[in-house]
Amino acid sequence: MSNPNPVSVRTGALATVAVITFSLLLCAALSPEFLTGWATLVLVAMVPAQIVISLVWQGNYPIKLASLPQPWRGLAFVALNVAVGSVVAAIAWATVGGAMSPPVPFVNMYLIFSVPVMLFLVIVLQGWPFNVLSGHPGLIGLFLLLADYALTTLLYRVLFNFGFMAGAPFYTVDLDPQGIFMAWQPLVASIAAVVPMLALVLFDFWPISLIARRCPRLAGQPASGLLAALFVGIVALVLWLFCVEHAGMDLVLFMVRVCVSLSFGFFIILVMFEGMPAVSLVQPWRGVVLCLLGIALAMVMLFIYQLVAVAGLALPSGAPAYRLELWLGSAMLAVTFPAMVVAAAYFRFWPFRTGGRAS
């Protein structure tokens, strides 16, 4: 749905600087252990609901909340988001995490994994089949959340194996799903898949739309979703093969320095600049320009966040603890990304832009 009142570049830039500054100050104020533990658990648990509110409902449902003036509109959506996310966090911590304090990697990886799964349901499948089963936005959102955590739970139990952590003090065999792959592998693969998912949006789903025009049978779901899934899988595989297999990058470094950073750069364009509608080139050139801009933003953001972590917190990089990498991932995608959604989708760039009612 096109926005009749798109954000200006100036407003988007001001809001971006404000959100990133706030996020970095918050992350620097928290201990690294708390940030990568409790803060990540609670904040990531809120992201799937944010995706529903911002992408599926587009900030226009519930109507009573969407019609409020700012800042009450933003605060109301934050309250709704916190309520849903708190329930998810509590259930995940008590079940997947075994109610252990501080939270163990089992539950944080589970919740992080739920985000790419939700993005797949919303971006690739575009809400199918739930938008066919019901036309009510509330039910569609509920179905998507239930499907997200059901599918995440299934894949988590089948794919994730934490046996490599067996010597750690927190390791409990009862919490280990003992799946097929070493846990980092499916997690990193899912985050690698987020990059082409977001690129598809920047390309307005080209070349999927081009194929659909030439073959109308592939225009609707689930056919177009299967095409998009194929595209996402191929691009993610190429990224993995080039960076991990060919260049020999450590898996966690690949996840943070390539996948998380690129996703973060793309998120800034899509969320804080609403996809930059002023770039009016035809596809695929519009997508190429936006992706190149996203890559540039990713490099700048990685430098800034790493500067804060190294100069301010003296966090070391690499195995076995990956303290710097885990801090970067949490700071970018657990703290700053939700803050960007709050600023752009809930507060509609208030107070940088007046007129915060739904548009």
Side-chain angles (χ1 to χ4, degrees):
M1 182 182 296
S2 60
N3 187 349
N5 184 28
V7 65
S8 68
V9 173
R10 179 180 178 275
T11 299
L14 287 173
T16 301
V17 170
V19 168
I20 290 174
T21 302
F22 166 80
S23 299
L24 282 173
L25 289 173
L26 176 62
C27 292
L30 300 174
S31 72
E33 293 73 23
F34 184 82
L35 175 65
T36 58
W38 284 112
T40 294
L41 184 151
V42 173
L43 293 172
V44 173
M46 298 184 187
V47 174
Q50 279 195 320
I51 294 171
V52 169
I53 294 170
S54 60
L55 295 184
V56 180
W57 295 345
Q58 296 186 343
N60 295 322
Y61 183 88
I63 297 174
K64 288 186 178 180
L65 303 189
S67 61
L68 291 173
Q70 296 291 9
W72 309 114
R73 179 188 189 279
L75 293 172
F77 274 117
V78 168
L80 173 62
N81 198 169
V82 168
V84 175
S86 297
V87 171
V88 171
I91 293 174
W93 175 68
T95 55
V96 181
M100 296 178 68
S101 181
V104 292
F106 305 107
V107 63
N108 279 357
M109 283 195 175
Y110 170 86
L111 290 171
I112 292 169
F113 186 63
S114 72
V115 176
V117 173
M118 178 59 93
L119 288 172
F120 181 86
L121 294 174
V122 172
I123 293 177
V124 175
L125 295 182
Q126 298 180 338
W128 182 89
F130 308 109
N131 51 8
V132 176
L133 297 174
S134 174
H136 192 283
L139 288 177
I140 294 172
L142 176 62
F143 291 154
L144 280 168
L145 284 172
L146 293 175
D148 175 37
Y149 290 111
L151 186 56
T152 297
T153 300
L154 174 63
L155 293 174
Y156 176 79
R157 296 190 177 280
V158 171
L159 300 177
F160 283 68
N161 190 312
F162 293 88
F164 69 101
M165 294 183 176
F170 62 79
Y171 181 84
T172 304
V173 68
D174 293 339
L175 295 179
D176 187 350
Q178 302 179 53
I180 301 171
F181 302 103
M182 188 266 281
W184 279 117
Q185 293 175 333
L187 181 68
V188 174
S190 69
I191 296 175
V194 171
V195 176
M197 281 191 239
L198 299 178
L200 268 178
V201 181
L202 293 175
F203 275 88
D204 298 319
F205 287 86
W206 185 96
I208 309 302
S209 57
L210 178 64
I211 297 172
R213 283 198 300 270
R214 295 183 177 181
C215 185
R217 287 185 177 183
L218 302 177
Q221 294 290 354
S224 63
L226 293 175
L227 277 176
L230 179 63
F231 171 84
V232 167
I234 290 173
V235 174
L237 179 61
V238 169
L239 273 176
W240 181 298
L241 290 176
F242 179 79
C243 295
V244 177
E245 302 297 334
H246 174 70
M249 283 190 74
D250 178 277
L251 202 58
V252 180
L253 269 63
F254 164 67
M255 177 185 74
V256 173
R257 298 181 184 278
V258 177
C259 304
V260 169
S261 298
L262 284 176
S263 297
F264 191 59
F266 291 170
F267 276 134
I268 292 176
I269 295 174
L270 289 168
V271 178
M272 300 308 293
F273 293 93
E274 298 182 338
M276 288 194 168
V279 180
S280 57
L281 299 171
V282 297
Q283 295 291 7
W285 306 115
R286 170 178 154 80
V288 170
V289 170
L290 294 182
C291 281
L292 289 175
L293 181 57
I295 293 170
L297 284 170
M299 295 171 65
V300 172
M301 291 299 106
L302 179 60
F303 173 80
I304 293 173
Y305 277 70
Q306 184 167 283
L307 182 64
V308 172
V310 174
L313 301 171
L315 296 177
S317 174
Y322 297 107
R323 294 188 68 200
L324 173 61
E325 286 71 33
L326 294 179
W327 188 94
L328 289 172
S330 294
M332 286 183 179
L333 295 190
V335 176
T336 311
F337 169 65
M340 288 194 298
V341 174
V342 168
Y346 297 177
F347 284 93
R348 292 279 169 87
F349 299 96
W350 179 90
F352 302 100
R353 181 175 69 180
T354 57
R357 293 179 182 272
S359 57

